[in-house]
Amino acid sequence: MVRETVYELKRDLSQIRKYIKYGLFFLVMGGTLVLYNQYYFKVEREIMNLSQLKGQLSARNLMLKKEVSRLSSPERIEKIARKRLKMKPVDYSKVRFIETK
Amino acid sequence: MVRSKVYILAGLIVAGFLLVVLRLAYFQIINRDEFLAYIEKQYKAREKVILPRGTIYDRNGRILSISVPTIDIFAVTRYIKDRHTLARELSRIINVPYPVLIRKLSSGKNYVVLATGIDKSLKERLLNLRRQLEEWNLGVIESSRRYYPLNQIGGTTIGFVSKVTGKGMEGLELKYDKKLGGGTGDIYLMKDALGNPFTIEKNISSEETFDIKLTIDSNIQYIAETILAEFVRERRPKEALILIVDPNDGRIIANATYPNYNPNRYWKYRSHRNITFHSAYEPGSLAKPFILAEAVDEGRIDLNKEYYCGEGKIIVDGIRIRDHKRFKYLTPEDIIVFSSNVGAIEIALKLDPEKMYRKLHTLGFGSSTKTFPGEASGILRDDKRPVEIAYAAIGQNWTATAIQIAMAYSAIANGGYLLKPRFVEEFINRETGEIIKPEKEVIGRVLSEKSVRVLQEAMKMVVERGTARKGKSEYFTIAGKTGTAQKYDPAIKALSTEKYYTWFAGYFPAKKPKFTVVIFANEPQKIKKWERIGGGSVSAPVLKKLANRIMFYYKEKPDKNRNGGQNGNQNPQRN
């Protein structure tokens, strides 16, 4: 009984061996595809991270631009000039123009 | 035996796949729409977000209007595990009261907008909170908010963007709405198969948008607004404005108006009018130089002859029109210098009425310059009855906007050419960086060389020794004309002797004009009881401060010596 089963398995194996090269071919192809996929997802994640970073940096850039505009407002500068630096509006009688040749 | 087993196994596998394929075909082909609708209803929600618009810069590159990135916070309420904790923690981060958040979270709606326009720098903290509380149905979506860093400086000119629709509602934001882009875009919020956050699908059209560099100089704008604010404090008019234009190319450099508003809080103001463009007023004596120009062109007057000025009154068609002083004889130049009503009427009555009105129309009066949204045209009817011609000559019974006045006076300054006013220096493509520069637009020659020469000389004298002498600068030559128009008073059904429009229109430096200025006030009040309200006493004094400050800002050397005469190219000051 056992011998018969072993004999049957051997016959099955010899049948399977005929197709093993195809199996190996599909296995290698599958493996390659899996590896490629992993690489693809890794690159995609990197692109996503970089786009996110770009978005964050552009947002920060805009916020900084907004802040620069607010800080350089003529109203604010005049207030600082008058109050902190005790400056006075121009009086042309005290302005001297220097001729350049 | 073995072969048959393999065939059976293979058959079973193929049958299995076939079943899956058939089932997929059922879902994706046969009942596709039904299932899509089901998914849309169950898992998707559409929301509008405000899209960023192009930035508006002044001519020096300073930002006047910018879309700053913000975030909106959403939640799918039925999947929120602990509303109270979420509301409490969220309230700490975004500074929205706890009761407001808990009310929204308990509203029973499928999804709710918890807060909009939140500073984007809080995004990381919010995402951390979501991770900590494992509230995956709390969503953060990027949006934008329009911000005006200079607040009310140039507010009525720049206008504002609706915080609901993201579209321009007033001013240049409205005029260039399409170029700036913005508005709202649809986003779809969707819970994915793993129950993780939202996947967001954007449905935003990608049209070409531009940043805009204006001709406005925010420093000059600020100078004009400061001087106007002082004037308003002193005279308490209903409305007032200072408009500054480059007479050589039509660029609008500053436009200060009262009332003004801060576009960052536009909803707090009742009126968003920009009186420079939206309102037309009677120009009063500002019309007289154009009557003189027509008389010169028609050859109806002798510039050296003195004309009788009625000693304070003239009767036309049985109607008595008064002068502000009892002038006897004046030359045409002095009629302008001292602004004699009777003298101007005498000249106007000598003219061909058709040609006189044509002159006013060609100068741009009666039609909008189409520079600003909702711009007024003013009213100029070609009524040829002598009394109407008389009133037209002294700027009564017809109206003009401040921008029309500025462009007509710019024509005197630039040698007779009417230009189209403009606000835009450059359009900058936001994608490609390509720059489009609008060209200077000359509408046509509207004043002859001879009349320009006569007017330029007369207008210089107006400031030196005439009605605008209170506006005379010690350092710069200024040319211009004052104007006073009586307002119609419905109570007495006649022209009021108490309520006036006061004007000054002119340019400086008189020799090489760089700036055309219009200064206007509606119903300015007297400072002293005995004072007489008029363009000379009210509007002209503003001019001196304005000219000195602007010219210093541009580091211009005075063109006058200390004795008051012109200095040419010499340095007026001792070194």
Side-chain angles (χ1 to χ4, degrees):
Chain A
M1 178 71 181
V2 176
R3 275 183 72 180
E4 254 179 33
T5 314
V6 171
Y7 179 70
E8 210 169 283
L9 276 171
K10 269 186 182 171
R11 263 200 338 189
D12 286 354
L13 207 64
S14 69
Q15 278 288 327
I16 288 165
R17 257 187 212 143
K18 278 184 193 170
Y19 299 99
I20 204 145
K21 54 187 174 196
Y22 299 112
L24 278 174
F25 174 75
F26 284 116
L27 210 65
V28 170
M29 285 299 289
T32 314
L33 276 174
V34 168
L35 285 175
Y36 172 77
N37 235 16
Q38 271 188 340
Y39 175 73
Y40 177 84
F41 280 119
K42 194 182 151 203
V43 171
E44 199 162 66
R45 198 176 306 133
E46 259 174 49
I47 291 171
M48 210 173 74
N49 287 343
L50 286 173
S51 330
Q52 246 173 16
L53 188 68
K54 187 187 160 201
Q56 279 170 13
L57 290 175
S58 329
R60 177 127 186 81
N61 188 24
L62 281 174
M63 295 302 277
L64 288 173
K65 272 186 182 172
K66 172 200 136 183
E67 204 54 16
V68 167
S69 295
R70 191 185 64 78
L71 293 173
S72 62
S73 146
E75 197 175 7
R76 181 179 167 274
I77 289 170
E78 187 178 306
K79 210 177 272 174
I80 293 171
R82 275 181 195 273
K83 290 189 178 164
R84 208 189 297 165
L85 306 174
K86 309 280 178 222
M87 289 169 91
K88 284 178 184 169
V90 64
D91 178 356
Y92 254 106
S93 64
K94 289 171 186 160
V95 178
R96 289 174 66 183
F97 284 84
I98 300 161
E99 295 287 346
T100 52
K101 285 178 184 173
Chain B
M1 166 86 181
V2 173
R3 189 166 292 210
S4 63
K5 276 182 191 170
V6 170
Y7 284 148
I8 288 167
L9 191 67
L12 280 172
I13 291 168
V14 169
F17 273 114
L18 209 64
L19 273 174
V20 172
V21 169
L22 284 173
R23 191 67 180 151
L24 278 176
Y26 172 74
F27 284 135
Q28 299 212 357
I29 299 167
I30 300 165
N31 268 3
R32 182 176 182 272
D33 294 340
E34 194 185 312
F35 281 104
L36 268 181
Y38 177 75
I39 290 164
E40 290 269 338
K41 202 176 161 191
Q42 287 293 308
Y43 297 106
K44 278 190 173 179
R46 207 175 83 166
E47 187 54 48
K48 284 197 182 298
V49 287
I50 299 201
L51 302 175
R53 284 159 74 84
T55 304
I56 301 178
Y57 300 93
D58 82 339
R59 71 195 305 178
N60 307 315
R62 182 182 277 151
I63 293 170
L64 300 176
S65 170
I66 187 170
S67 287
V68 289
T70 57
I71 45 174
D72 297 345
I73 305 170
F74 296 86
V76 180
T77 52
R78 60 177 161 155
Y79 294 118
I80 296 293
K81 294 169 201 161
D82 185 348
R83 285 173 197 161
H84 294 277
T85 313
L86 180 64
R88 200 170 47 244
E89 294 300 319
L90 214 52
S91 160
R92 276 185 203 147
I93 299 174
I94 61 173
N95 218 6
V96 174
Y98 168 81
V100 175
L101 292 174
I102 197 70
R103 197 174 55 239
K104 285 183 177 175
L105 285 168
S106 312
S107 64
K109 288 179 186 165
N110 189 20
Y111 83 94
V112 285
V113 181
L114 294 173
T116 56
I118 302 292
D119 188 344
K120 202 188 164 186
S121 62
L122 298 173
K123 189 179 174 184
E124 274 307 304
R125 285 178 69 190
L126 288 165
L127 293 179
N128 281 340
L129 176 73
R130 189 170 71 177
R131 257 194 304 276
Q132 276 170 17
L133 301 179
E134 294 188 347
E135 292 286 11
W136 303 117
N137 291 291
L138 178 72
V140 175
I141 291 158
E142 289 183 17
S143 186
S144 76
R145 183 168 55 91
R146 202 68 167 158
Y147 178 71
Y148 303 87
L150 305 190
N151 294 314
Q152 76 287 346
I153 298 174
T156 51
T157 303
I158 301 163
F160 57 86
V161 167
S162 160
K163 57 178 188 170
V164 180
T165 62
K167 293 298 235 178
M169 299 284 284
E170 281 290 345
L172 298 179
E173 290 274 24
L174 172 60
K175 168 102 180 165
Y176 298 109
D177 196 40
K178 274 193 180 161
K179 291 247 179 218
L180 290 163
T184 53
D186 289 335
I187 54 158
Y188 292 94
L189 311 174
M190 197 170 80
K191 198 166 166 275
D192 68 15
L194 299 171
N196 272 331
F198 297 111
T199 54
I200 298 165
E201 291 170 20
K202 285 190 180 180
N203 178 22
I204 292 158
S205 62
S206 52
E207 279 174 11
E208 202 175 39
T209 57
F210 295 84
D211 289 334
I212 297 178
K213 193 176 196 180
L214 297 182
T215 55
I216 296 277
D217 182 327
S218 56
N219 291 319
I220 300 287
Q221 177 73 32
Y222 177 66
I223 291 171
E225 286 193 15
T226 315
I227 290 171
L228 189 70
E230 268 174 48
F231 172 73
V232 168
R233 262 198 306 277
E234 198 177 87
R235 292 284 179 181
R236 288 171 286 112
K238 277 188 172 172
E239 298 168 307
L241 71 87
I242 296 177
L243 174 64
I244 304 169
V245 175
D246 185 334
N248 303 306
D249 57 21
R251 286 185 175 103
I252 296 167
I253 299 165
N255 174 34
T257 60
Y258 169 79
N260 193 6
Y261 62 84
N262 178 352
N264 285 316
R265 288 179 291 159
Y266 68 88
W267 58 92
K268 295 201 169 178
Y269 299 82
R270 241 189 257 165
S271 164
H272 299 117
R273 287 177 78 79
N274 183 326
I275 59 163
T276 303
F277 300 94
H278 290 154
S279 306
Y281 308 94
E282 286 168 315
S285 302
L286 295 190
K288 289 172 188 167
F290 305 118
I291 302 301
L292 178 62
E294 182 54 29
V296 170
D297 289 348
E298 283 186 36
R300 300 286 172 107
I301 50 159
D302 180 350
L303 292 169
N304 299 313
K305 191 183 156 189
E306 287 193 331
Y307 289 86
Y308 181 62
C309 292
E311 293 180 52
K313 63 175 192 307
I314 186 170
I315 294 167
V316 186
D317 286 352
I319 293 171
R320 198 160 85 155
I321 302 172
R322 286 170 183 277
D323 216 334
H324 62 99
K325 267 187 187 169
R326 294 179 169 213
F327 296 111
K328 273 190 178 173
Y329 287 94
L330 292 174
T331 60
E333 182 182 292
D334 280 350
I335 287 172
I336 299 299
V337 172
F338 299 109
S339 200
S340 164
N341 285 345
V342 178
I345 291 168
E346 287 284 6
I347 293 174
L349 292 174
K350 293 181 199 298
L351 303 177
D352 177 345
E354 208 163 291
K355 283 184 181 171
M356 186 193 89
Y357 281 114
R358 200 186 307 146
K359 171 71 84 189
L360 292 176
H361 282 293
T362 53
L363 280 157
F365 297 114
S367 45
S368 159
T369 66
K370 297 193 175 89
T371 313
F372 205 74
E375 192 181 323
S377 303
I379 298 164
L380 177 60
R381 285 188 215 99
D382 301 8
D383 195 328
K384 287 159 195 161
R385 285 177 298 167
V387 68
E388 289 302 326
I389 288 166
Y391 276 126
I394 58 170
Q396 295 278 169
N397 281 8
W398 63 281
T399 62
T401 59
I403 189 69
Q404 287 169 346
I405 299 274
M407 297 329 288
Y409 273 77
S410 290
I412 302 174
N414 67 26
Y417 296 93
L418 184 69
L419 304 173
K420 187 171 163 51
R422 64 195 171 100
F423 270 116
V424 177
E425 194 85 53
E426 288 173 359
F427 291 107
I428 307 145
N429 191 308
R430 296 181 77 198
E431 287 295 313
T432 61
E434 183 199 354
I435 293 173
I436 303 165
K437 287 190 179 192
E439 298 267 310
K440 161 180 159 180
E441 224 176 289
V442 182
I443 295 167
R445 183 166 195 128
V446 290
L447 295 167
S448 68
E449 255 178 62
K450 191 183 176 189
S451 60
V452 165
R453 229 178 14 250
V454 171
L455 292 187
Q456 284 184 344
E457 199 47 46
M459 281 165 55
K460 251 190 272 177
M461 290 304 121
V462 170
V463 182
E464 289 302 316
R465 60 183 176 90
T467 52
R469 61 189 178 278
K470 281 189 178 174
K472 186 164 106 178
S473 162
E474 286 174 75
Y475 308 104
F476 295 99
T477 52
I478 304 173
K481 178 78 191 78
T482 54
T484 311
Q486 289 172 276
K487 286 180 77 172
Y488 178 77
D489 189 347
I492 55 170
K493 289 185 180 168
L495 294 176
S496 169
T497 50
E498 295 292 318
K499 298 171 181 173
Y500 297 94
Y501 297 124
T502 64
W503 295 88
F504 174 85
Y507 55 86
F508 58 87
K511 222 172 186 186
K512 259 190 170 180
K514 287 188 173 170
F515 305 98
T516 300
V517 187
V518 176
I519 301 163
F520 165 81
N522 176 3
E523 281 189 42
Q525 305 299 309
K526 287 179 181 176
I527 300 174
K528 286 160 190 151
K529 264 190 179 177
W530 47 264
E531 191 185 31
R532 197 182 177 132
I533 290 288
S537 60
V538 174
S539 295
V542 176
L543 176 70
K544 187 161 68 177
K545 289 182 209 165
L546 195 69
N548 288 351
R549 283 193 68 178
I550 291 175
M551 295 304 267
F552 184 74
Y553 169 71
Y554 282 110
K555 305 285 178 288
E556 290 284 340
K557 208 169 80 177
D559 66 344
K560 238 181 180 185
N561 64 31
R562 285 298 193 73
N563 305 324
Q566 280 182 48
N567 196 47
N569 291 327
Q570 285 171 349
N571 190 340
Q573 286 149 23
R574 280 176 287 152
N575 284 328

